Amino acid sequence: MTKLYQALGLSKRYGVKDALLDVNFTVQAGRLVGLLGPNGSGKTTLLKISAGLLRPTAGDVLILGETPGIATKSVTAYLPDRMALPVEFRVCDAVALYSDFFADFDKAKANAMLADLKLEPLQRIGAMSKGTQEKMQLCLTMSRQAKLYLLDEPLGGVDPAAREYIMNTILRNYSEDAAVVISTHLIDDIEKVLDEVLVLKEGRLLLQSGVDELREERGQSLDEFFRDTFRC
């Protein structure tokens, strides 16, 4: 199996605070992975380092054996946890930008998914709700033929009626030679589709496990495990 995505002794410090501390894992191709942990556990920092937006304090991230940079950005599709496009853009402007910027972008697929979600080409981003903006960005991200998809809270502001469509979109639009990493708090909504989980706690990797193995070993669902582990 391909070592598609790895963290090797990865650490990130902001001042005196460790956002990530000695994180090690390997994600193979063909896996759909949940990145779990409470707020402040380091999930977004990990994804930003992996997308080449932050530099680690120590250690490395490797994507197909390369550290994040120009080479990895061509095979990595990153969905940030907030709107990254100008609010004056229309939907058609966003599609055109992705089409120009990413060689692996499938414009026809993007337009079909946007139409399914009732997003009009001339609709302006600034006039959309937060949930609609997130749906649009997800459609654009999943219309790339990437090797690694990094999705930071793709269901956070989305209404329950659209979540099933979005999860099906994610499942349909990645291949067996790619991997998807989804950061989310909505564990119950995605547990049934996950192959494995990475669980962060206070910047450390608490657990990497297959979801089926976790259920068998602990006699708990992933949602129950998370609630017990991080109970206030």
Side-chain angles (χ1 to χ4, degrees):
M1 298 288 282
T2 304
K3 291 182 178 180
L4 176 53
Y5 175 42
Q6 294 176 280
L8 304 172
L10 184 66
S11 298
K12 177 64 178 178
R13 173 170 285 189
Y14 297 105
V16 298
K17 178 175 172 53
D18 290 309
L20 294 170
L21 189 59
D22 194 27
V23 172
N24 295 275
F25 62 78
T26 296
V27 172
Q28 297 172 332
R31 306 292 278 175
L32 203 157
V33 181
L35 178 60
L36 310 181
N39 290 334
S41 59
K43 301 187 302 297
T44 292
T45 297
L46 171 61
L47 295 181
K48 284 184 174 180
I49 290 172
S50 303
L53 301 177
L54 289 175
R55 290 170 103 48
T57 304
D60 289 300
V61 164
L62 297 178
I63 298 169
L64 292 173
E66 301 274 354
T67 56
I70 293 173
T72 65
K73 287 181 180 181
S74 67
V75 297
T76 303
Y78 170 60
L79 177 73
D81 62 346
R82 61 195 65 194
M83 174 50 61
L85 295 168
V87 294
E88 63 270 18
F89 266 32
R90 300 165 298 174
V91 171
C92 59
D93 298 326
V95 171
L97 178 68
Y98 268 67
S99 186
D100 287 344
F101 203 75
F102 298 110
D104 61 0
F105 182 71
D106 187 331
K107 185 175 180 180
K109 180 187 288 186
N111 284 328
M113 287 194 288
L114 292 165
D116 284 345
L117 290 170
K118 307 293 191 291
L119 289 168
E120 300 293 335
L122 298 181
Q123 195 171 351
R124 292 196 179 274
I125 292 174
M128 298 176 186
S129 68
K130 183 175 186 291
T132 301
Q133 290 178 354
E134 290 177 355
K135 286 186 282 189
M136 184 199 71
Q137 279 203 130
L138 180 66
C139 289
L140 295 172
T141 302
M142 296 309 300
S143 294
R144 291 185 56 196
Q145 299 298 312
K147 297 296 185 184
L148 177 65
Y149 298 86
L150 303 172
L151 311 179
D152 197 354
E153 293 289 346
L155 304 176
V158 177
D159 58 272
R163 284 179 196 158
E164 185 174 1
Y165 176 87
I166 287 171
M167 287 310 305
N168 287 335
T169 297
I170 293 170
L171 288 169
R172 280 198 314 267
N173 290 286
Y174 86 100
S175 62
E176 290 186 0
D177 63 348
V180 179
V181 178
I182 304 177
S183 167
T184 185
H185 292 104
L186 298 171
I187 300 168
D188 193 47
D189 286 300
I190 71 163
E191 178 172 352
K192 62 183 179 295
V193 304
L194 294 178
D195 296 307
E196 63 184 279
V197 289
L198 298 166
V199 182
L200 292 175
K201 182 178 183 180
E202 296 177 351
R204 295 180 181 271
L205 184 67
L206 180 68
L207 175 73
Q208 179 175 12
S209 173
V211 173
D212 291 340
E213 288 81 358
L214 187 146
R215 291 192 195 103
E216 290 170 8
E217 290 173 9
R218 300 177 183 268
Q220 293 179 303
S221 69
L222 180 57
D223 189 54
E224 289 168 339
F225 166 78
F226 185 88
R227 290 173 187 271
D228 282 353
T229 301
F230 298 105
R231 194 180 302 280
C232 294

